[in-house]
Amino acid sequence: MAEKQLSAAARPHSRVRRSATHTGVTHIRHHQPDRYTIIGNHLAQHHDLSLTAIGVATHILSLPEGACVDIRTLAARFPEGRDRIAFALRELEAQGYLERVRERTPNGRVITRTYACNDPGADHARTVAVAAAAEESVTPPPAAVPATPATPAPPAPSAPPAPAEPSAPAEPPRTPQYRTAVALLAGLRRNDDRLTLAERDIRSLAPAVVAWLENGASPAAVRRTLTANLPAVPKNVARLLAHRLRELLPPPLPEGPVEPSAGAAGAGHRPDPFQTCDGCERAFRAAEPGLCRDCRCDPAGGDAVLAA
């Protein structure tokens, strides 16, 4: 059998690649054993963040612990200006990816520390779950109802009634002053991060703050008393505030205005009229006519007047 001859030359290899997708991006992925950062799609495809904010967040998450991420450092690293980087950081703060908090170091210096979160949604869900678990642990379980016996039990011998157990202290009423006290204690961390209180500490300290408000102290005065001259590293913040509220409690204001004493110069007091001295004709103030102070102290002047 004769060898088959091709009637046409072979087509040259085309330089156009073939792809499985009709349009859009095609990923070329390589294995990266090291030097990589995991970025979630919730950040890379965020609908409310600008492209600059997504890039800044990706760069911050790829940095090692303790790296500087202030506006000046980022502006020196990238061609974007300080205004665009500052706006991007504010976007990330609004979405929960960044949190800038002022903290005090052991030597007393106040610094700004940046906390970067790679998944704010998971952090929020974890916080809600912890709060729900704490609430369930505080809520007492419902009391079990004993089953009714099938046969009546024999009558028990008469016994003296047991003393009533003291009931648990009732929760203070939600008065406007109580709500003001709770808001004041919860907002102390805005003045100083060391004054961050737990919810149970706020409930225990609120009645003492209410006592200050009932005695006429203003919320600003209470805040100044609680935040002034704090130690560098307080061991127990709640105990420190309770001591100040107990020991520095001001007395209640008087009911009426304080009246001036009888000898004090009031609005209706009139000075003595002017008199003419009988010895030297000098003018001086006195209730009745007579001698001035110099003539009373000079015996010669007094004798001259008596001789006349």
Side-chain angles (χ1 to χ4, degrees):
M1 182 177 181
E3 184 179 356
K4 186 178 181 180
Q5 300 292 333
L6 296 177
S7 60
R11 299 177 59 185
H13 179 69
S14 175
R15 295 182 179 273
V16 179
R17 294 181 179 181
R18 294 183 179 181
S19 176
T21 58
H22 297 285
T23 182
V25 63
T26 300
H27 294 281
I28 302 175
R29 305 182 188 274
H30 299 282
H31 177 64
Q32 301 179 21
D34 57 356
R35 299 183 61 84
Y36 65 91
T37 303
I38 299 176
I39 302 296
N41 289 337
H42 54 82
L43 173 60
Q45 301 176 10
H46 205 288
H47 295 284
D48 298 329
L49 290 177
S50 63
L51 194 59
T52 304
I54 295 176
V56 171
T58 304
H59 173 71
I60 292 176
L61 292 176
S62 66
L63 294 176
E65 196 80 9
C68 294
V69 291
D70 58 314
I71 298 176
R72 181 181 302 176
T73 304
L74 295 176
R77 170 65 177 79
F78 296 102
E80 284 79 6
R82 294 189 178 184
D83 294 339
R84 293 187 62 183
I85 293 179
F87 185 77
L89 293 178
R90 287 194 293 268
E91 287 185 76
L92 295 174
E93 281 186 301
Q95 298 298 331
Y97 288 94
L98 286 184
E99 184 180 4
R100 288 181 284 188
V101 182
R102 289 182 302 173
E103 295 183 0
R104 188 181 298 273
T105 59
N107 57 2
R109 181 184 177 186
V110 178
I111 62 174
T112 300
R113 190 179 300 277
T114 302
Y115 293 91
C117 180
N118 62 346
D119 192 356
D123 192 22
H124 177 71
R126 189 182 304 110
T127 303
V128 173
V130 171
E135 185 177 357
E136 291 178 0
S137 62
V138 172
T139 305
V145 179
T148 305
T151 59
S158 60
E165 297 182 358
S167 58
E171 186 179 358
R174 302 290 181 172
T175 59
Q177 288 184 341
Y178 182 82
R179 290 193 293 268
T180 302
V182 170
L184 188 148
L185 292 171
L188 290 178
R189 57 185 176 180
R190 297 177 180 174
N191 299 80
D192 199 322
D193 294 336
R194 295 172 294 175
L195 298 179
T196 302
L197 297 171
E199 188 175 357
R200 64 174 182 274
D201 296 333
I202 292 176
R203 289 197 299 265
S204 63
L205 293 175
V209 178
V210 171
W212 279 63
L213 300 178
E214 290 178 351
N215 285 4
S218 63
V222 180
R223 186 179 297 104
R224 285 194 302 268
T225 303
L226 298 180
T227 58
N229 300 326
L230 292 175
V233 183
K235 296 182 179 179
N236 193 320
V237 179
R239 186 177 301 176
L240 172 63
L241 299 184
H243 174 76
R244 291 190 175 187
L245 291 172
R246 182 179 61 255
E247 299 298 331
L248 302 179
L249 177 65
L253 292 175
E255 298 181 357
V258 180
E259 297 181 358
S261 58
H269 177 73
R270 299 181 61 182
D272 295 333
F274 282 102
Q275 307 290 346
T276 301
C277 178
D278 295 338
C280 62
E281 297 184 354
R282 181 187 300 173
F284 67 100
R285 289 186 179 275
E288 298 178 356
L291 299 176
C292 65
R293 180 172 53 185
D294 296 340
C295 294
R296 287 197 303 269
C297 297
D298 187 7
D303 294 344
V305 173
L306 293 178

